[in-house]
Amino acid sequence: MLAGGAAGVEQADIVVNVSPRETRVAILEGSRLCELLVEREQAVVGNIYKGRVENVVPALDAAFVDCGIERNVFIHVGDAVPYDPVKEGSPKLPRIGDVLQKGQEIIVQVTKGPLESKGARATARLSLPGRYVVLTRDGQAGVGVSKKIEDDTERHRLRDIAAGVKPAGWGCIVRTRAQGAGRAELQADLRFLTRTWETIDEKAEKSKAPATLYEDLSLVFEILRDVVDQRVRKMVIDDRETHDRVLRLLETMAPTLMDRVELYEGQKPIFTEYGVEQEIERALRPRVWLPHGGHLSIEETEALTVIDVNSGRFTSPTSLADTVLRTNLEAADEIGRQLRLRDIGGIIVIDFIDMDRPDHRDRVLDAMRVALHHDRMRTRVMHITRLGLMEMTRKRTDLSLGHQLMEACPWCNGSGRIMEPTTVATRIVNELRMRAAESKVGGFVVLVDPPVALALIGPHGELVEGLERVEVGRAVMVRADPNRHREHFEIIAGDVRKLEKEYGFLTAGDLIDIGPEAVLNVPTEGLLAQVKGVIIEVPEPETISAPVKVRIVKSSRSYARGTAVS
């Protein structure tokens, strides 16, 4: 079980894969992959920098700070003031120009990593997380306790201990994993964090902006600090150096956990051995299947993430209402896991199947909150409307798993869809007509994707004559190129005889060979193939497994019809 999880959750296994290119950490609860964390370069979230204000933007009530990283860091006036507006009852904030000026040096901590075109976000209220406590410099000198610690007696005990051992004038937040910890553990944690602050202060005095004052832990040691405790069954690592460093750290931090750490020396890759690679592939797909045949459709956009719940093949033997309820309950449990696994943050809208009964909506809402209870990120869930829509937010600190492991398709520019062949054909005809009107060239060659070629000339070549005489008024040779993208056509203008010589032209009586590689995989009766780009229809066979000899019986510049020769 992860730190802070509810009682009854299965124990967790942590599987660590280290390579020269990246480090991956998988957290499995039971046999299910619930979190996957990837580190390819040192992350900036949690880092503390001495920066210089590059520009102040009154229209945004914000400033941009040069911290020496790839893009300037964004800081809102609410994060630039020394107090927390929420804790102070949301007082009226000053103008950004009254807080920061261009050229001013400021110490900031990154709270949210860069996302696509946006730079990182930062705050001037600094904090350092330890194993049991977070030591803060936010203008508050009090003690807070994690809301996930629900027992009032334990909350008061931890608050009293922390208040007695924290440095004077500092703020302190007791973390969830501190449940059951004593004065010695909290005191040791605070002593370490205080020494770290002293080092940061020394660097700040000596360094000239922009400069890095503190780098948060690398991924493996962040997991060691934030996740590993008595409820973690084992931590398996496939790199000896990392394994030995983890043991050395645990020896001083939590020696009772050292026997949970194992070095993996198997022949198979560690993620294959534990079934993680297959789960990663599933996590990158938009569709997620539910146990009884329903499914989720997950789509991330720049503004929000939309999750659609569908009953699919599932039907209850009792009633439609029971089918809907059971599907939605399964969906709520799986959505909680998928949000953690895919590390989806920001605004999330879930479209559950419509439920007429208010008590059913309440049960699904409760199930959703239970599923999110184990999430280490802060979440907020709103009610379910009569239409089955539920709004929620999940704290986002970095790129989601999909954005880390995938990139936008260069062909569709991330839309996930491309133009239908007839749409492209219409664009080509319009382009040909414009070029014909602007010049006196004898003809055109059009290089296109095979389905677009068929949309231009017709499956049986019935549109060829109209294309040349009526639509364009010039000779047109359509040539199919299976390696060409659907939307990327090319039009070449020139003398008709030269174009026919260069791009091939079949005539009646020609005898040619057609191999299986030339067959076009398009829905049609008979066989369609392309030889040197010319579309050829052979009515007799549906498909071929070996080359066949074909005699051309009819031809035009863009189409030929043949018959198989026995």
Side-chain angles (χ1 to χ4, degrees), residues 28-49:
L28 293 86
E29 292 178 359
S31 59
R32 299 203 307 171
L33 177 63
C34 289
E35 287 189 54
L36 178 70
L37 303 151
V38 181
E39 181 181 65
R40 288 178 175 162
E41 55 186 32
Q42 183 65 41
V44 297
V45 176
N47 289 1
I48 298 175
Y49 299 95

Side-chain angles (χ1 to χ4, degrees), residues 291-306:
H292 289 87
H295 66 267
L296 309 175
S297 293
I298 303 175
E299 183 175 352
E300 292 183 65
T301 71
E302 188 169 348
L304 52 80
T305 297
V306 179

Side-chain angles (χ1 to χ4, degrees), residues 12-13 32 38 64 81 99 149 153 170 210 225 250 302 328 347-348 353 385 417 453-454 465 486 495 545-547 555:
D13 292 335
R32 299 203 307 171
V38 181
F64 290 88
V81 292
V99 180
I149 300 177
T153 302
W170 294 67
R225 178 191 69 195
L250 282 177
E302 188 169 348
N328 283 340
I347 300 171
I348 300 158
I353 305 171
T385 69
R417 303 177 70 86
L454 290 174
E465 186 175 349
R486 171 77 53 81
D495 177 76
S545 57
S555 71

Side-chain angles (χ1 to χ4, degrees), residues 410-440:
W411 301 114
C412 69
N413 293 320
S415 72
R417 303 177 70 86
I418 59 174
M419 290 185 184
E420 191 270 339
T422 302
T423 304
V424 182
T426 301
R427 293 179 61 191
I428 291 172
V429 171
N430 290 337
E431 180 75 16
L432 288 170
R433 293 180 65 180
M434 285 193 299
R435 293 201 185 188
E438 294 169 356
S439 68
K440 297 182 179 180

Side-chain angles (χ1 to χ4, degrees), residues 350-390:
I350 304 169
D351 184 9
F352 286 105
I353 305 171
D354 294 357
M355 294 170 285
D356 294 329
R357 293 175 51 177
D359 61 316
H360 282 191
R361 293 197 292 271
D362 291 342
R363 286 181 63 183
V364 173
L365 185 61
D366 290 342
M368 192 72 226
R369 287 174 172 151
V370 168
L372 294 171
H373 185 76
H374 318 309
D375 199 333
R376 292 188 292 129
M377 293 296 173
R378 185 172 64 249
T379 59
R380 183 184 178 199
V381 177
M382 310 301 287
H383 68 282
I384 299 177
T385 69
R386 287 184 62 85
L387 296 177
L389 295 178
M390 189 191 82

Side-chain angles (χ1 to χ4, degrees), residues 144-160:
V145 180
S146 169
K147 293 180 180 179
K148 288 190 175 182
I149 300 177
E150 299 175 350
D151 183 88
D152 287 339
T153 302
E154 180 67 0
R155 291 178 63 86
H156 286 114
R157 185 185 74 85
L158 291 171
R159 191 189 303 274
D160 291 342

Side-chain angles (χ1 to χ4, degrees), residues 17-24 37-42 219 238-239 269 277 404-405:
N17 169 227
V18 180
S19 74
R21 292 167 296 281
E22 63 182 8
T23 297
R24 301 184 296 174
L37 303 151
V38 181
E39 181 181 65
R40 288 178 175 162
E41 55 186 32
Q42 183 65 41
L219 177 58
D238 66 354
D239 177 69
E277 291 291 4
Q404 288 186 69
L405 302 187

